[in-house]
Amino acid sequence: MKNYVTHLECALTGEIKDKNKVHGLSSAGKPMLVRYDLEEIKKDISKEDLKKNVINGFWRYSFLLPVDKKNRVSLGEVKTPLINLDNCINELDFKGKLIVKDEGLLPTASFKARGLCLAVSMAKQLNLKHLAIPTNGNAGAALAAYASKAKIKSTVFCPDDTPEINIREIKSLGADTYLVNGLINECGKLILDGKEEANWFDVSTLKEPYRIEGKKTMGLELAEQFNWELPDVIFYPTGGGTGLIGMWKAFTELLKLGWIQNKLPKMVAVQAEGCAPIYKAWKEGKEFAKLWEGAKTLAAGIRVPIAVGDFLIIRAVNESKGFSITVSDEEILNSRESVSKKDGILLCPEGAATFAAFKKTLNQGLIKKNDTVVLFNCASGLKYPLPEVSKFIDKNSKINYLDFKL
Ligand SMILES: *Cc1c(COP(=O)(O)O)cnc(C)c1O
């Protein structure tokens, strides 16, 4: 398989960099994007060729990825399923399709596997020896897993209130794991400050060029699953925004390849009321977002007070004629409960936020009643604290079985 990468490019200034060198942010301090020779890909590969590809997970799109085959680090990436929420919509004033893309089936049970699989594979390709990451949980676990597999050292900094299960998972998967009395951006600052002396490579969201290429595969996979006719609206729980930016990059590349037509989905950036820097900037018509003070939400994955890719998220939302919206923690918990009880899918809180946002949007008339809508569930619901069970049976007492009758 040929490698079609031509160069890397600063997403703000267009500055060009050598694809064979190690890169963090551009000289302007903004994300670097990978560019491909799309004309050459168009000549070499067709949709028909892709149909014959037997690989099920995202490595089937390797022509649009920067990794040479020998450097692929794999833990069994699968194509994630699309699941209809038909029981939920029965009770709503909605005649379209509501579909969850369930990313919880990927290695380490979250979609962070897509990005970190790519970042670690590229670290192997570029011969990096030590990777460091700030995380609210899932990114750290995915880095730890892929780095261990690739025999690369990983160091992980988590806010000390990260869900317990995530922290233990990260350590179990072999990362040198630390709790920090601060938020994810403050964990990120430790990595930046320690760069010279610790000599680690910073794999923070969008501060290296390859996690976004991994997240881009959500867009490629979705397009293929929809037989190259994309849904009308995509709701994405937005923290650092890599997934939203990545999907938008995927659609742009597919357009240039001529594999999809000009009708692209509206991209909806869903944030939590307690941490909504992107929503605020978008609403005020700004290009960049300000640091959100006192960030607080139980949806840890979207508790990101400042994002280096802010302008790319806002740009994608606007170009797609989408919007941003916030939901409260209470709406998140209610949504998680109703989707799991009605349709049998245990969403993660961030995934539940997209359902809550969908319902709000429907009431506000921001989407059409017959739209095809995709919600992203980014992690297995099992990675999060769940409501406790308090009903108890004493096996020695007399049990009234009539109480169980329907
Ligand atoms: C990281 C994460 C998000 C946010 O993803 P971004 O692409 O960084 O915006 C949402 N949900 C979960 C479960 C996550 O782990």
Side-chain angles (χ1 to χ4, degrees):
M1 172 60 73
K2 243 157 75 185
N3 190 322
Y4 291 96
V5 176
T6 52
H7 61 277
L8 272 66
E9 188 180 292
C10 171
L12 188 69
T13 64
E15 174 193 15
I16 285 177
K17 296 254 183 160
D18 182 347
K19 65 173 177 173
N20 296 315
K21 298 237 169 76
V22 177
H23 299 291
L25 292 169
S26 72
S27 343
K30 297 297 172 192
M32 299 291 299
L33 301 177
V34 182
R35 297 298 182 204
Y36 300 83
D37 187 343
L38 296 169
E39 284 306 314
E40 202 61 22
I41 297 177
K42 204 169 170 175
K43 275 190 224 149
D44 291 352
I45 297 160
S46 68
K47 284 193 238 178
E48 288 307 307
D49 294 330
L50 188 61
K51 261 192 200 156
K52 290 181 219 134
N53 189 324
V54 293
I55 301 173
N56 167 48
F58 60 72
W59 287 113
R60 68 193 272 103
Y61 309 110
S62 58
F63 51 94
L64 277 173
L65 296 173
V67 183
D68 294 334
K69 193 167 181 190
K70 65 173 190 300
N71 295 318
R72 283 182 202 168
V73 183
S74 177
L75 288 169
E77 300 72 33
V78 294
K79 169 162 69 186
T80 61
L82 297 173
I83 305 163
N84 275 301
L85 296 188
D86 20 21
N87 294 335
C88 282
I89 60 170
N90 264 343
E91 295 163 21
L92 300 171
D93 177 21
F94 181 68
K95 301 277 165 285
K97 281 204 181 110
L98 185 61
I99 300 165
V100 170
K101 186 151 172 70
D102 193 2
E103 296 278 297
L105 282 86
L106 286 161
T108 67
S110 92
F111 70 1
K112 290 294 195 298
R114 293 183 189 265
L116 286 145
C117 175
L118 258 288
V120 171
S121 297
M122 283 307 290
K124 187 174 161 194
Q125 189 154 314
L126 296 164
N127 209 16
L128 298 172
K129 301 290 180 215
H130 185 184
L131 306 176
I133 201 168
T135 181
N136 282 326
N138 291 328
L143 173 67
Y146 283 99
S148 292
K149 187 75 183 166
K151 303 203 205 73
I152 295 173
K153 180 178 163 67
S154 61
T155 300
V156 175
F157 296 104
C158 324
D160 55 7
D161 59 351
T162 303
E164 185 76 24
I165 185 83
N166 295 90
I167 297 168
R168 290 176 186 236
E169 183 191 14
I170 296 166
K171 181 171 180 229
S172 303
L173 285 166
D176 195 9
T177 311
Y178 297 87
L179 302 180
V180 178
N181 56 342
L183 292 171
I184 187 166
N185 53 315
E186 294 162 314
C187 295
K189 184 159 184 302
L190 296 181
I191 295 176
L192 187 67
D193 292 347
K195 210 168 159 175
E196 297 304 320
E197 284 171 64
N199 199 27
W200 49 42
F201 181 74
D202 186 349
V203 283
S204 302
T205 302
L206 289 165
K207 290 189 184 164
E208 59 76 57
Y210 304 112
R211 282 175 65 181
I212 179 175
E213 292 303 295
K215 285 271 193 93
K216 181 179 89 178
T217 65
M218 292 192 291
L220 303 174
E221 195 171 292
L222 197 66
E224 194 182 8
Q225 282 176 310
F226 274 86
N227 203 18
W228 312 106
E229 288 194 24
L230 289 163
D232 299 300
V233 193
I234 294 177
F235 282 80
Y236 188 80
T238 306
T242 341
L244 192 147
I245 302 165
M247 280 193 275
W248 195 245
K249 185 171 188 281
F251 300 154
T252 313
E253 289 171 357
L254 289 174
L255 265 181
K256 289 194 182 141
L257 287 179
W259 288 19
I260 57 171
Q261 302 309 312
N262 222 337
K263 202 192 108 338
L264 299 184
K266 287 187 175 137
M267 304 298 287
V268 181
V270 179
Q271 295 214 292
E273 270 174 17
C275 181
I278 301 294
Y279 168 78
K280 184 166 185 285
W282 172 81
K283 189 144 180 97
E284 291 169 354
K286 302 247 168 70
E287 189 182 8
F288 300 99
K290 282 220 183 74
L291 174 81
W292 186 274
E293 301 285 349
K296 197 173 174 305
T297 169
L298 65 88
I302 53 175
R303 196 179 60 171
V304 180
I306 189 150
V308 62
D310 49 2
F311 65 107
L312 294 172
I313 306 171
I314 294 168
R315 205 186 273 172
V317 165
N318 288 334
E319 279 177 12
S320 74
K321 304 191 173 55
F323 51 89
S324 182
I325 184 167
T326 62
V327 293
S328 69
D329 279 7
E330 195 189 342
E331 287 171 306
I332 290 175
L333 289 179
N334 290 340
S335 293
R336 179 174 73 177
E337 187 179 334
S338 73
V339 174
S340 53
K341 289 192 173 157
K342 287 178 193 141
D343 275 296
I345 306 170
L346 191 54
L347 299 175
C348 63
E350 298 81 2
T354 64
F355 181 79
F358 163 78
K359 270 181 41 177
K360 252 191 178 166
T361 308
L362 199 59
N363 292 336
Q364 294 171 4
L366 287 166
I367 53 174
K368 295 202 209 81
K369 305 274 183 217
N370 60 352
D371 273 346
T372 297
V373 176
V374 171
L375 309 178
F376 268 85
N377 186 47
C378 318
S380 163
L382 289 174
K383 295 184 92 172
Y384 298 82
L386 293 168
E388 65 178 359
V389 174
S390 55
K391 290 185 191 169
F392 180 77
I393 287 179
D394 175 359
K395 66 179 182 188
N396 299 317
S397 70
K398 173 150 174 36
I399 299 169
N400 185 2
Y401 288 102
L402 282 173
D403 288 349
F404 293 89
K405 219 178 152 204
L406 256 187

